[in-house]
Amino acid sequence: AQSVTQPDIHITVSEGASLELRCNYSYGATPYLFWYVQSPGQGLQLLLKYFSGDTLVQGIKGFEAEFKRSQSSFNLRKPSVHWSDAAEYFCAVVPQSNFGNEKLTFGTGTRLTIIP
Amino acid sequence: DSGVTQTPKHLITATGQRVTLRCSPRSGDLSVYWYQQSLDQGLQFLIQYYNGEERAKGNILERFSAQQFPDLHSELNLSSLELGDSALYFCASSLHPRSSTDTQYFGPGTRLTVL
């Protein structure tokens, strides 16, 4: 079955430390890939996206993600987290073959806590 | 600020009632999507409109309906509300589907509480 998996429900990181949030997908072909962030009480903000080309994509707020076809993964990284990065992070996909239904399918999210 | 607006921000109502959630897409965007975020179901796609026409449906209940108007704003109507309908409802918009760079931008959401 087609799915998006974020294996880590909750991650705690010290401020200034590096971060990696995992995302794996299970689709017949490589989908379009997205990372969104939801701060407490806020909507979803797009961090970055991958359609094709360079497998390392840069986003806003110092985030980057790397697409690895062999691992069906699209992990989000940040070299040094700030307290303001505390939020919930969602990986999402749109299958390229889904013409006529471009809905986003979301993972279950990873809650990021930052400790001083 | 994504440019997508949603009203109201909060809505508290009773079981059995009907409510209308409103969404205005980003300027120029033709497609509107509705999503529901709940603790048990996560983020789920409800329905998509493109230039006034329904384009795709997800797991939207029959008690729920939506439409997109000529000015491209959209409304999501929820009727015969149940406790389980309590959730955060998001609207997203995009320029047009199947563009190679099409991206959905989300509004701040409407938090619905059914008592």
Side-chain angles (χ1 to χ4, degrees):
Chain A
Q2 299 178 333
S3 65
V4 182
T5 302
Q6 292 181 248
D8 304 306
I9 296 173
H10 188 197
I11 284 183
T12 300
V13 177
S14 297
E15 191 168 14
S18 64
L19 171 71
E20 183 168 31
L21 302 181
R22 296 183 289 165
C23 173
N24 293 94
Y25 61 89
S26 175
Y27 284 83
T30 300
Y32 298 135
L33 298 155
F34 305 82
W35 275 99
Y36 286 86
V37 60
Q38 184 179 22
S39 298
Q42 302 296 313
L44 292 159
Q45 183 181 24
L46 178 70
L47 284 177
L48 46 77
K49 57 191 175 184
Y50 174 77
F51 293 113
S52 64
D54 191 346
T55 57
L56 185 63
V57 293
Q58 302 297 320
I60 62 170
K61 303 185 179 187
F63 286 91
E64 66 178 25
E66 185 171 15
F67 166 62
K68 292 186 177 179
R69 185 188 306 274
S70 61
Q71 298 176 20
S72 297
S73 69
F74 188 55
N75 293 349
L76 182 71
R77 301 194 296 242
K78 186 169 185 178
S80 175
V81 298
H82 185 261
W83 65 266
S84 61
D85 293 325
E88 184 126 23
Y89 292 79
F90 292 93
C91 180
V93 307
V94 174
Q96 291 195 36
S97 60
N98 265 23
F99 184 80
N101 182 355
E102 291 78 27
K103 67 168 186 174
L104 284 163
T105 297
F106 287 89
T108 51
T110 297
R111 181 173 300 279
L112 175 64
T113 298
I114 308 295
I115 55 176
Chain B
D1 184 355
S2 68
V4 179
T5 61
Q6 289 187 250
T7 56
K9 190 164 185 169
H10 300 279
L11 202 47
I12 301 175
T13 188
T15 54
Q17 295 298 305
R18 173 189 170 93
V19 297
T20 297
L21 282 52
R22 182 188 169 102
C23 167
S24 293
R26 295 187 318 157
S27 177
D29 282 359
L30 300 176
S31 198
V32 168
Y33 307 75
W34 287 97
Y35 293 85
Q36 180 194 58
Q37 185 180 34
S38 62
L39 285 176
D40 54 344
Q41 297 290 325
L43 272 157
Q44 299 281 322
F45 167 74
L46 295 178
I47 197 164
Q48 177 194 3
Y49 280 83
Y50 172 62
N51 207 18
E53 299 290 326
E54 181 184 304
R55 185 171 174 88
K57 257 185 176 178
N59 295 326
I60 187 167
L61 300 170
E62 285 192 12
R63 300 183 285 109
F64 295 3
S65 65
Q67 58 184 126
Q68 187 179 27
F69 294 86
D71 67 352
L72 301 177
H73 90 272
S74 177
E75 292 181 356
L76 179 66
N77 301 296
L78 316 176
S79 61
S80 303
L81 286 168
E82 302 174 359
L83 296 178
D85 298 327
S86 296
L88 192 52
Y89 290 85
F90 285 112
C91 169
S93 74
S94 68
L95 179 58
H96 60 81
R98 309 315 297 170
S99 161
S100 61
T101 57
D102 196 45
T103 300
Q104 294 178 38
Y105 294 91
F106 283 76
T110 293
R111 182 166 295 282
L112 173 66
T113 303
V114 182
L115 301 175

